[in-house]
C-alpha cells in the first residue's frame, strides 16, 4: 500500500462527499484522514489515503473525477503525513514560541510551500490568496510571500498561516519588551508584559501587600480584588500591564513584586501602580511609571491620568520624578492628575524641551 494526498473540489451538497468516497473505495483506496475547507467554488476536500501499489496518479485522478470531484491534485505522501492537522499546527506553534525567527520555515512546513520570502511593507499590496500565491501581513512590519506549484491555497490555510505569523510576532515582541532593571540600591528585577498565566502570581502579590498599599492602589478599600477583575487588568483590551519579578538566588520560583497598569480610554490612558511593601522607596515605581509613559507616547495617547489619595506622598513623589508637569484636580481626599504626552513626545523627537 502507498500513501497519497488527494485534494479535490466537491459541490457542497448533501451526498456528494459520499459519492467521492465510494468511488475511491471501489478501487481499494482506504481514507485515513479528511479535512473539508469551504471556498466560494465549493468544498475543498483534502484526503490522506492508503492506496494499492498498483494504482498510479492517473488512476486516482480518474477515480476522483468519477466521484464528481474536480480540480483534482494528487501527490505521494510520507508517514509523517499521518499526524493530523491540529497536531502539526500545535507542534509548529511550540517551535515558534521557542524560536520566533523560524517563522518562514514554519510556514513552509505548514503549507508545503516551494518558496517563502519576507518583503518590506508597501502600499497598494493586497494581502490574501491568489491561486497558488499567498501574501500574509507581518504585525512587526512588512509581509510574507508564499508560493507553491500546486494545489491552490484555500482560505482555511490562509487563516492558519496568519495565526502562526501573529503568534511569532507576539512572542518576539514580548521577548524584546522584557528587560532587567538595576535599581539604585543595586537590586535587579525583571520587567515584562503580563499575561493571563500570571494570575496566581498577581494574586500572591496582592495577598502579601499591606492593606494600606492595596487601599492606595484601588482607592475604594483594602479588600483583595476578585480574580475576574485581575484577569481584566492583566490583559486590558487597550493598554499594557507590566510586572516586575524576581527569582531567588537558590532558583526559587519567580515572584511578582510589582504591577503597573496602563488602561486606555479614548485618547487618554489611566495609570496605576502596586508595589510590594518591601520593594517600596527603592525606585521601582518610578522605573515602571517611566516605561508606561514611554509606551503611551508610542501608542499615541494624548495624556496620562492618575487618581491618587492626597496623603499618598510616595506616589506624588514618583509622579514628580517623571518630569512631566500636568494639571491637578482635587475632590476631597483624592487628586486627579493629568499629564500631557503628545507635546512632550513631539519635543523629544525634535530635541527640544517643554
Amino acid at each position: 500500500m502507498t500513501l497519497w494526498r488527494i485534494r479535490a473540489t466537491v459541490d457542497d451538497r448533501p451526498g456528494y462527499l459520499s459519492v467521492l468516497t465510494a468511488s475511491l473505495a471501489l478501487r481499494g483506496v482506504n481514507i485515513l484522514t479528511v479535512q473539508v475547507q469551504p471556498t466560494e467554488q465549493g468544498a475543498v476536500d483534502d484526503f490522506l489515503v492508503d492506496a494499492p501499489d498498483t494504482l498510479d496518479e492517473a488512476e486516482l485522478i480518474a477515480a476522483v473525477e468519477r466521484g464528481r470531484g474536480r480540480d483534482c491534485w494528487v501527490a505521494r505522501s510520507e508517514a509523517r503525513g499521518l499526524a493530523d492537522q491540529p497536531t502539526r499546527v500545535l507542534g509548529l506553534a511550540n517551535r515558534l514560541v521557542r524560536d520566533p525567527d523560524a517563522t518562514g520555515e514554519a510556514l513552509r512546513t505548514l503549507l508545503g510551500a516551494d518558496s517563502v520570502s519576507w518583503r518590506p511593507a508597501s502600499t497598494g499590496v493586497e494581502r490574501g490568496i491568489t491561486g497558488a500565491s499567498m501574501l500574509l501581513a507581518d504585525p512587526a512590519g512588512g509581509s510574507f510571500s508564499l508560493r507553491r506549484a500546486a494545489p491552490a491555497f484555500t482560505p482555511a490555510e490562509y487563516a492558519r498561516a496568519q495565526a502562526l505569523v501573529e503568534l511569532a510576532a507576539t512572542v518576539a515582541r514580548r521577548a524584546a519588551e522584557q528587560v532587567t532593571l538595576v535599581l539604585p540600591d543595586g537590586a535587579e528585577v525583571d520587567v515584562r508584559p503580563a499575561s493571563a498565566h500570571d494570575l496566581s502570581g498577581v494574586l500572591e502579590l496582592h495577598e502579601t501587600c499591606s492593606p494600606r498599599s492595596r487601599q492606595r492602589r484601588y482607592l475604594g478599600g483594602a479588600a483583595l480584588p476578585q480574580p475576574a477583575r485581575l484577569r481584566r487588568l492583566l490583559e486590558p483590551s487597550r493598554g499594557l500591564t507590566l510586572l516586575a519579578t524576581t527569582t531567588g538566588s537558590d532558583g526559587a520560583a519567580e515572584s511578582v513584586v510589582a504591577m503597573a497598569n496602563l488602561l486606555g480610554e479614548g485618547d487618554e490612558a489611566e495609570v496605576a501602580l502596586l508595589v510590594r511593601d518591601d520593594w517600596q522607596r527603592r525606585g521601582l515605581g518610578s522605573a515602571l511609571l517611566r516605561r508606561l509613559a514611554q509606551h503611551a507616547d508610542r501608542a499615541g495617547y494624548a495624556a496620562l491620568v492618575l487618581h491618587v489619595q492626597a496623603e499618598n506622598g510616595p506616589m506624588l513623589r514618583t509622579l514628580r520624578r517623571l518630569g512631566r508637569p500636568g494639571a491637578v484636580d482635587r475632590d476631597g481626599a483624592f487628586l486627579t492628575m493629568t499629564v500631557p504626552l503628545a507635546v512632550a513626545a513631539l519635543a523629544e523627537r525634535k530635541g527640544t524641551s517643554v
Side-chain angles (χ1 to χ4, degrees), residues 7 100 108 115-116 142 165 173 180 210 222 224 236 242-243 267 285 295 297 304 323 350 352:
R7 177 173 288 192
R108 187 192 307 275
S115 67
V116 179
V165 171
R173 184 175 66 251
T180 298
S210 66
L224 291 172
L242 295 177
L243 299 182
D267 61 353
H295 177 85
D297 276 335
L304 295 179
K350 291 185 176 180
T352 61

Side-chain angles (χ1 to χ4, degrees), residues 7 11 37 60 79 99 129 149 185 198 205 217 234 247 251 336:
R7 177 173 288 192
D11 288 342
Q37 305 180 45
L60 285 171
D99 181 14
I129 53 177
D185 61 4
D198 293 308
L205 166 67
R217 163 60 180 85
L234 287 172
T247 304
T336 297

Side-chain angles (χ1 to χ4, degrees), residues 39-270:
T39 70
E40 294 180 356
Q41 290 73 38
V44 173
D45 296 327
D46 204 336
F47 300 95
L48 178 67
V49 304
D50 196 6
D53 294 334
T54 55
L55 285 183
D56 59 19
E57 180 178 333
E59 290 172 308
L60 285 171
I61 293 175
V64 170
E65 291 175 344
R66 289 192 187 97
R68 298 182 180 175
R70 61 182 187 277
D71 302 327
C72 184
W73 171 83
V74 175
R76 291 286 186 100
S77 185
E78 300 175 0
R80 61 183 179 182
L82 292 170
D84 63 9
Q85 188 68 17
T87 300
R88 294 180 64 232
V89 173
L90 287 173
L92 292 171
N94 182 56
R95 178 180 178 183
L96 289 179
V97 168
R98 299 171 183 272
D99 181 14
D101 290 335
T103 304
E105 186 57 35
L107 291 172
R108 187 192 307 275
T109 301
L110 174 67
L111 300 175
D114 297 319
S115 67
V116 179
S117 58
W118 184 89
R119 60 178 65 174
S122 57
T123 58
V125 177
E126 193 92 22
R127 266 75 170 188
I129 53 177
T130 305
S133 298
M134 179 185 296
L135 195 63
L136 299 161
D138 182 357
S143 57
F144 286 94
S145 176
L146 288 74
R147 296 181 185 278
R148 69 185 181 196
F153 290 117
T154 66
E157 289 178 316
Y158 176 82
R160 292 172 193 153
Q162 187 64 62
L164 274 187
V165 171
E166 291 173 0
L167 171 64
T170 298
V171 172
R173 184 175 66 251
R174 286 186 177 275
E177 290 175 345
Q178 182 165 331
V179 299
T180 298
L181 297 180
V182 180
L183 303 181
D185 61 4
E188 295 186 2
V189 294
D190 294 324
V191 176
R192 59 172 174 80
S195 74
H197 300 295
D198 293 308
L199 180 60
S200 60
V202 170
L203 280 169
E204 183 180 351
L205 166 67
H206 283 75
E207 291 168 353
T208 53
C209 282
S210 66
R212 186 184 187 191
S213 292
R214 293 198 298 266
Q215 186 178 42
R216 284 178 164 177
R217 163 60 180 85
Y218 294 101
L219 305 180
L224 291 172
Q226 293 296 313
R229 182 180 184 184
L230 291 178
R231 288 191 190 95
R232 291 193 295 271
L233 288 175
L234 287 172
E235 292 187 320
S237 57
R238 292 186 60 213
L240 173 70
T241 291
L242 295 177
L243 299 182
T245 67
T246 62
T247 304
S249 57
D250 57 352
E254 178 185 73
S255 178
V256 180
V257 298
M259 178 178 72
N261 306 110
L262 181 79
L263 308 177
E265 185 173 348
D267 61 353
E268 296 180 340
E270 182 179 339

